[in-house]
């Protein structure tokens, strides 16, 4: 399915489509690191299966075990917006919200070089 979405862009069927690179920073409350990691593991598989997802990876800081990141790549903004509405994403956000000691930081970007 991912190949089909990329082929649509290449054929011009998704006019103005610009790949989206999304960085998410999550900082767990003390003692909630395991819960954040589990929530990340649960959302990764379904997110990777989405038609508009080109890649989806999760990371943990080596210096701060309470600090996590998501880096994902989407065929375009519409694909990311669809991801945000899907049940597995909504469940993840609801679950992880209670485990954080700082607001999650989401940065949507496009590549410049």
């Amino acid at each position: 399915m991912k190949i089909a979405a990329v082929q649509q862009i290449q054929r011009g069927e998704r006019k103005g489509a610009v790949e989206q690179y999304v960085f998410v920073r999550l900082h767990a409350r003390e003692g909630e690191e395991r819960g954040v990691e589990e929530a990340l593991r649960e959302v990764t598989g379904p997110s990777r299966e989405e038609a508009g997802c080109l890649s989806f990876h999760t990371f943990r800081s080596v210096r701060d075990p309470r600090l996590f990141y998501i880096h994902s790549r989407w065929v375009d903004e519409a694909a990311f917006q669809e991801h945000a509405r899907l049940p597995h994403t909504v469940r993840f956000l609801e679950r992880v919200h209670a485990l954080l000691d700082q607001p999650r930081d989401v940065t949507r970007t496009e590549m410049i070089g």
Side-chain angles (χ1 to χ4, degrees):
M1 293 181 97
K2 294 173 191 172
I3 293 171
V6 172
Q7 288 171 336
Q8 284 179 326
I9 291 171
Q10 291 170 341
R11 289 191 305 263
E13 294 171 12
R14 292 172 84 133
K15 300 258 186 242
V18 175
E19 277 187 28
Q20 298 281 297
Y21 299 80
V22 181
F23 299 86
V24 180
R25 180 186 183 279
L26 306 163
H27 196 268
R29 270 197 252 140
E30 192 168 339
E32 299 293 355
E33 304 91 311
R34 184 184 197 113
V36 173
E37 184 174 341
E38 288 172 3
L40 286 167
R41 289 184 188 279
E42 288 176 14
V43 79
T44 297
S47 297
R48 286 180 178 163
E49 294 300 316
E50 293 177 42
C53 180
L54 297 172
S55 66
F56 191 98
H57 299 283
T58 58
F59 305 88
R60 181 183 218 155
S61 170
V62 294
R63 294 188 179 188
D64 180 355
R66 293 168 47 201
L67 181 58
F68 297 86
Y69 293 94
I70 301 170
H71 174 254
S72 58
R73 192 170 139 232
W74 303 89
V75 294
D76 59 14
E77 182 178 355
F80 179 72
Q81 292 299 330
E82 177 64 18
H83 164 71
R85 290 188 290 269
L86 292 174
H88 62 270
T89 305
V90 172
R91 277 192 309 272
F92 167 78
L93 294 173
E94 289 171 352
R95 179 177 177 190
V96 82
H97 177 75
L99 305 175
L100 303 179
D101 64 356
Q102 301 171 7
R104 74 179 185 282
D105 182 26
V106 179
T107 304
R108 294 171 31 191
T109 69
E110 57 186 55
M111 189 178 292
I112 59 172

